[in-house]
């Protein structure tokens, strides 16, 4: 590991540590918007009243809560700071926020009630240090650090900050952000421009999307640029592009990029789309689907697996996409066995060997040789050749002609062309079995 890689690893480790903090972004479990006047919600301590631009919480009888450390620090500060609190409320608390501000306000047991204001509307987010996403967190997948993704840029300030109307991660919610200027850099001989937010005095930020967005990476990411030097120089290290909270939880209100910040190329650097996310029905069950042949797809099985609660993350090697780390995935599905490059094949075989060694349920369609080679490389995962033609009873029984490759791995000759209701019922039953195995964990 060279110095560049070591510095990136230290940065990445600290990023993971911050995400895993008890009341960090992974602890979000809910968001309630407050209307004018009194508001009551189950499990929310009492009555929340919005009046005169502020919010007051009066605790129900028998409820206990106290100010957070952040609230205590704010107590007595001027309202002009953008946030103010009043702890001298009989039976409760009062706070005021400027639009766009947040406050980790009140603590009760494992919960912290965060007050937010978006425009004229207040909301309360619940942060729970025992949230299921936080408990199951294994880190954030990222591309391998690559110095070619470190770009020299130049900041060009506007005479006055320019206001831009933007969307946010919360449906229907919009916001206005101020851009102090743009940053220009070169990529493969072409000049690229990004609008920035933040401040040249305290640090610039660029939110962007690229050709990988929505597949291997979230819909957009954010990159810190730091403070420009005396000549306006900045460094764009895309290896440190990070996912915003909306990539992990549906209870975030992250700003979207300013129009024009859509990069026309794929940024194979920085954080990838997280394997583990929280949905409104709970923590997801991510399954890695590796597509090795352009003509192959899951067909009806894909929709059935999603109906069964699996979150399919497809990596198309035929389109040059990169295989993510195995961490966080509950199962692996392989389609075909003809990757476009030997290096990619070696990487895929190593990942599959890790999956088999760790007991991650693995299923191949037309990938018998690839899975068999991976099983041979996985200590303790392979099964004797004479057993490879046996069905994997009683753990899982794929319909049709299937071979058992390892303890929790099966090979099916091809994705089925389902033509009868009987075949559909048989495959639906198999899909449900595989989904249950993925959710419960094979090992």
């Amino acid at each position: 590991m060279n110095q560049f890689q070591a510095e990136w690893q230290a940065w990445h480790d600290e990023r993971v540590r911050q995400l895993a903090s008890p009341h960090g972004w992974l602890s979000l479990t809910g968001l309630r918007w407050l209307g004018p006047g009194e508001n009551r919600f189950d499990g929310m301590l009492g009555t929340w009243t919005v009046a005169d631009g502020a919010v007051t919480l009066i605790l129900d009888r028998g409820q206990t809560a106290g100010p957070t450390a952040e609230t205590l620090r704010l107590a007595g500060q001027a309202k002009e700071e953008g946030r103010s609190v009043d702890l001298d409320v009989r039976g409760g608390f009062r706070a005021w926020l400027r639009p766009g501000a947040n406050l980790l306000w009140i603590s009760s047991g494992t919960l912290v009630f965060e007050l937010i204001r978006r425009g004229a509307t207040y909301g309360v987010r619940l942060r729970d240090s025992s949230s299921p996403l936080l408990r199951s967190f294994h880190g954030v997948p990222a591309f391998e650090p690559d110095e070619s993704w470190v770009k020299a840029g130049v900041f060009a300030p506007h005479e006055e900050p320019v206001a831009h109307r933007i969307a946010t991660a919360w449906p229907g919610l919009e916001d206005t952000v101020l851009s102090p200027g743009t940053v220009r850099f070169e990529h493969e001989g072409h000049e690229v421009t990004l609008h920035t937010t933040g401040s040249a005095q305290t640090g610039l930020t660029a939110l962007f999307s690229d050709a990988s967005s929505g597949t291997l990476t979230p819909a957009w990411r954010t990159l810190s640029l730091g403070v420009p030097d005396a000549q306006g120089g900045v460094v764009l290290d895309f290896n440190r592009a990070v996912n915003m909270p909306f990539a992990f939880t549906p209870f975030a209100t992250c700003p979207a990029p300013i129009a024009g910040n859509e990069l026309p190329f794929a940024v194979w650097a920085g954080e990838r789309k997280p394997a583990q996310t929280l949905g409104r029905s709970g923590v997801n069950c991510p399954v890695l689907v590796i597509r090795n042949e352009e003509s192959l797809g899951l067909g009806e099985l894909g929709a059935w697996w999603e109906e069964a609660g699996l979150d399919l993350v497809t990596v198309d090697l035929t389109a040059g996409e990169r295989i993510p780390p195995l961490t966080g995935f509950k199962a692996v599905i392989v389609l075909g066995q003809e990757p476009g490059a030997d290096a990619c094949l070696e990487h895929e075989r190593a990942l599959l060997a890790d999956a088999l060694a760790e007991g991650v349920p693995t299923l191949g369609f037309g990938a018998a040789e690839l899975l068999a080679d991976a099983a041979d490389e996985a200590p303790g995962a392979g099964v004797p050749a004479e057993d490879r033609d046996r069905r994997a009873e009683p753990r899982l029984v794929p319909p049709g002609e299937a071979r058992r490759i390892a303890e929790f791995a099966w090979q099916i000759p091809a994705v089925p062309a389902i033509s009868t209701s009987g075949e559909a019922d048989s495959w639906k039953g198999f899909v449900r079995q595989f989904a249950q195995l993925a959710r419960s964990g094979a090992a």
Side-chain angles (χ1 to χ4, degrees):
M1 181 182 294
N2 60 31
Q3 183 176 351
F4 174 78
Q5 293 169 326
E7 290 176 353
W8 178 88
Q9 189 63 57
W11 166 84
H12 181 67
D13 290 344
E14 175 61 19
R15 158 73 171 161
V16 171
R17 188 193 67 79
Q18 291 178 2
L19 277 174
S21 62
H23 290 108
W25 288 112
L26 301 184
S27 70
L28 289 183
T29 58
L31 171 58
R32 302 286 187 270
W33 294 106
L34 305 179
E38 295 185 354
N39 300 261
R40 292 186 62 84
F41 308 96
D42 290 342
M44 294 280 284
L45 299 178
T47 300
W48 303 74
T49 302
V50 179
D52 300 325
V55 176
T56 302
L57 168 63
I58 301 299
L59 299 175
D60 288 342
R61 180 175 298 179
Q63 294 285 353
T64 58
T68 65
E70 184 175 348
T71 298
L72 291 173
R73 286 195 300 270
L74 272 178
Q77 290 189 7
K79 189 174 182 178
E80 287 70 25
E81 295 284 337
R83 305 184 302 176
S84 67
V85 295
D86 183 356
L87 301 181
D88 296 323
V89 177
R90 184 178 179 85
F93 311 87
R94 181 178 294 114
W96 170 89
L97 302 179
R98 61 168 173 75
N102 305 338
L103 170 63
L104 297 180
W105 189 19
I106 298 163
S107 175
S108 179
T110 63
L111 294 174
V112 165
F113 295 83
E114 178 189 16
L115 188 65
I116 68 174
R117 188 174 182 181
R118 301 295 180 262
T121 303
Y122 280 100
V124 180
R125 274 198 294 233
L126 282 72
R127 295 178 180 245
D128 189 345
S129 60
S130 64
S131 76
L133 181 58
L134 191 57
R135 291 199 308 269
S136 63
F137 180 58
H138 295 293
V140 184
F143 295 96
E144 292 295 322
D146 181 347
E147 291 189 69
S148 69
W149 283 107
V150 181
K151 311 289 186 180
V154 177
F155 174 65
H158 299 309
E159 289 187 8
E160 295 291 338
V162 176
H164 294 267
R165 195 68 179 165
I166 59 166
T168 71
W170 189 269
L173 179 65
E174 294 186 345
D175 199 359
T176 298
V177 296
L178 296 177
S179 173
T182 60
V183 164
R184 298 190 308 275
F185 66 97
E186 283 195 2
H187 176 72
E188 296 183 345
H190 299 282
E191 187 175 88
V192 182
T193 300
L194 288 173
H195 300 281
T196 65
T197 55
S199 163
Q201 289 71 44
T202 59
L204 299 170
T205 299
L207 277 64
F208 69 94
S209 62
D210 64 272
S212 75
S213 300
T215 54
L216 297 188
T217 61
W220 66 87
R221 291 179 287 171
T222 182
L223 180 64
S224 294
L225 307 178
V227 176
D229 63 22
Q231 289 73 43
V234 294
V235 174
L236 295 89
D237 186 351
F238 285 99
N239 296 284
R240 303 193 181 196
V242 300
N243 300 330
M244 299 188 77
F246 79 89
F248 300 93
T249 173
F251 305 116
T253 60
C254 308
I258 295 170
N261 278 15
E262 303 85 15
L263 299 179
F265 49 86
V267 177
W268 306 116
E271 291 184 353
R272 293 172 173 263
K273 182 184 291 186
Q276 298 156 300
T277 61
L278 182 69
R280 296 185 184 278
S281 58
V283 177
N284 71 332
C285 185
V287 174
L288 177 61
V289 180
I290 303 174
R291 186 182 181 201
N292 290 317
E293 297 181 29
E294 189 173 355
S295 62
L296 292 181
L298 283 174
E300 292 177 275
L301 297 187
W304 292 343
W305 263 311
E306 291 178 347
E307 289 175 5
L310 300 188
D311 183 10
L312 303 181
V313 179
T314 300
V315 176
D316 189 349
L317 300 188
T318 68
E321 296 178 354
R322 316 287 183 86
I323 298 176
L326 181 63
T327 303
F329 287 104
K330 302 298 185 182
V332 179
I333 298 173
V334 183
L335 302 175
Q337 57 184 44
E338 297 181 6
D342 291 341
C344 190
L345 174 61
E346 183 179 347
H347 188 186
E348 181 177 6
R349 188 165 51 233
L351 178 139
L352 292 173
D354 289 343
L356 301 187
E358 295 174 17
V360 176
T362 303
L363 184 65
F365 290 94
E369 183 179 345
L370 181 58
L371 285 178
D373 289 347
D376 290 340
E377 295 179 12
V383 297
E386 62 270 19
D387 289 340
R388 288 185 177 173
D389 290 331
R390 296 181 183 176
R391 299 277 181 90
E393 298 176 357
R395 299 289 289 189
L396 187 67
V397 184
E401 298 179 6
R403 288 199 304 159
R404 182 179 178 183
I405 300 293
E407 181 66 19
F408 297 103
W410 300 267
Q411 151 67 17
I412 299 172
V415 177
I418 299 168
S419 58
T420 68
S421 60
E423 289 176 337
D425 290 341
S426 179
W427 278 101
K428 284 181 179 179
F430 163 69
V431 163
R432 287 192 293 269
Q433 291 179 57
F434 188 80
Q436 180 58 39
L437 191 61
R439 282 194 296 269
S440 61

